[in-house]
Amino acid sequence: MRRLAPVCLALAAALLGCSSGSGPGEGGGSAAAAKSPTPSGSSTDERQISYANRLPMARYSYSVDENTVIESAQHVLTRRCLKTYGIAYETPPQPLDAPRSADRRYGLSSATEAALYGYHPNRDIAQLPDGPDLPKDALTVFYGKRGAPQGSGEKLTYKGKAIPDDGCFGQSVAKLSEQYDDPAGAAVASRIANESYEKTLADPAVKEAFRKWSACMRSSGFRYSSPLEPLNTPAFQSNDISAKEKQTATADVRCKNETRLLDIWFKAETGLQKAEIEKNTVALESLRAAHREKAEAARRILAEG
């Protein structure tokens, strides 16, 4: 049985998350709470360093446990749907300790990943798992019209029985989403998370930290005015990871640590988010309640089997 890619259930665009309902074989990582943070420069496993997941808005995303239980429930519903077509489907086991990349809300934060991958994604986890191990005609039942030519009006059937347009998996995701998602609250949360990041770029303390970081980089032979620049360097976006990219990335993280840039940036965004949360308490608490209700519904589905 091939393992399915995790379903990203973090609220859309907030805290570097992605839309709920990403299916098997698609990208998406959880924006839910990570392990306890490690201070910059510590020798402890750098993958534990967390900024996005400690921001105030993380409270309004799904937790790791909630993500897991909702994803599992979606697969149980998918299995039930496939069974009505006579298709046997084993729900994928949840990995106990899935690898994850270090926090990149403020660019690179891991010296280890910088030395290995430069500005590229962590290649240990970048490869997406395969989709479900089902025969081709059964995959049509699983996925529905996803991947079919746009505008195709053909009705899909399997052994004479109509198939949902979004397949059994899409129908299962929608069943929970339609009942429990809070689009209005999610839009507020997404706006705050996006705007707070943008506003940090004009924060005096962050701008001064950028200046110090830039000076540190110049001392190592690299000329960048902000840590956002190397991320967009065309030479660092090819498939190959050059020695120069690794050297630049390594200096980037070292200078962030020496100037305390990440902590300063995090502090600035924390203040901005707290101010916005106070103005939008009703909408955000409604979103939190919807998350809890959806997780509880998922637990009931799992209990029923």
Side-chain angles (χ1 to χ4, degrees):
M1 181 70 201
R2 300 175 193 168
R3 185 167 62 84
L4 302 181
V7 178
C8 180
L9 294 161
L11 52 94
L15 305 177
L16 301 186
C18 64
S19 302
S20 67
S22 298
E26 293 180 352
S30 169
K35 297 178 181 178
S36 298
T38 303
S40 298
S42 169
S43 60
T44 305
D45 187 349
E46 290 167 309
R47 288 172 298 177
Q48 295 183 15
I49 298 174
S50 172
Y51 292 96
N53 300 320
R54 287 189 292 137
L55 285 166
M57 283 304 299
R59 174 181 175 85
Y60 304 101
S61 185
Y62 289 99
S63 70
V64 170
D65 289 342
E66 287 171 338
N67 270 323
T68 299
V69 74
I70 293 170
E71 179 186 349
S72 297
Q74 288 170 342
H75 289 300
V76 168
L77 293 175
T78 300
R79 174 170 53 78
R80 293 179 189 174
C81 175
L82 290 169
K83 187 176 181 180
T84 66
Y85 292 86
I87 299 171
Y89 170 63
E90 180 185 350
T91 57
Q94 290 291 335
L96 296 177
D97 188 19
R100 65 175 181 273
S101 181
D103 193 324
R104 291 196 179 192
R105 184 165 181 83
Y106 307 128
L108 293 179
S109 63
S110 166
T112 301
E113 290 187 3
L116 290 172
Y117 313 110
Y119 292 95
H120 282 67
N122 182 337
R123 290 188 172 179
D124 290 340
I125 61 175
Q127 295 300 314
L128 298 176
D130 292 328
D133 190 9
L134 293 171
K136 185 175 180 180
D137 56 350
L139 282 175
T140 301
V141 183
F142 192 102
Y143 287 115
K145 289 186 176 180
R146 185 165 58 174
Q150 189 171 9
S152 173
E154 179 185 358
K155 287 293 184 182
L156 299 178
T157 61
Y158 179 82
K159 296 182 178 179
K161 183 176 180 178
I163 299 171
D165 284 348
D166 294 328
C168 282
F169 182 78
Q171 177 178 270
S172 300
V173 171
K175 183 173 182 179
L176 283 172
S177 296
E178 289 170 359
Q179 293 184 59
Y180 300 104
D181 282 1
D182 180 5
V188 171
S190 180
R191 175 185 60 78
I192 293 172
N194 291 326
E195 288 181 357
S196 64
Y197 177 88
E198 291 298 326
K199 289 178 180 178
T200 61
L201 302 180
D203 183 272
V206 174
K207 291 172 72 174
E208 175 62 13
F210 277 16
R211 187 191 65 77
K212 291 180 179 178
W213 174 90
S214 180
C216 176
M217 290 292 283
R218 281 199 305 274
S219 70
S220 297
F222 304 104
R223 292 189 169 274
Y224 296 102
S225 61
S226 91
L228 303 180
E229 288 186 10
L231 295 170
N232 297 313
T233 300
F236 299 162
Q237 295 175 1
S238 64
N239 290 331
D240 296 327
I241 304 175
S242 66
K244 183 177 180 181
E245 179 181 349
K246 293 179 181 179
Q247 292 164 2
T248 306
T250 298
D252 180 350
V253 176
R254 176 179 57 78
C255 287
K256 282 174 178 165
N257 289 336
E258 290 181 4
T259 61
R260 297 186 59 252
L261 170 57
L262 295 174
D263 295 328
I264 292 168
W265 206 340
F266 170 77
K267 181 179 179 181
E269 187 166 20
T270 296
L272 288 165
Q273 287 193 357
K274 284 182 176 179
E276 285 301 310
I277 288 171
E278 290 182 4
K279 301 175 186 176
N280 296 275
T281 302
V282 173
L284 293 174
E285 288 304 318
S286 174
L287 179 63
R288 284 192 71 219
H291 287 175
R292 289 194 298 268
E293 290 172 6
K294 187 172 183 177
E296 284 303 315
R299 292 186 183 96
R300 289 194 296 272
I301 291 168
L302 293 181
E304 293 165 0

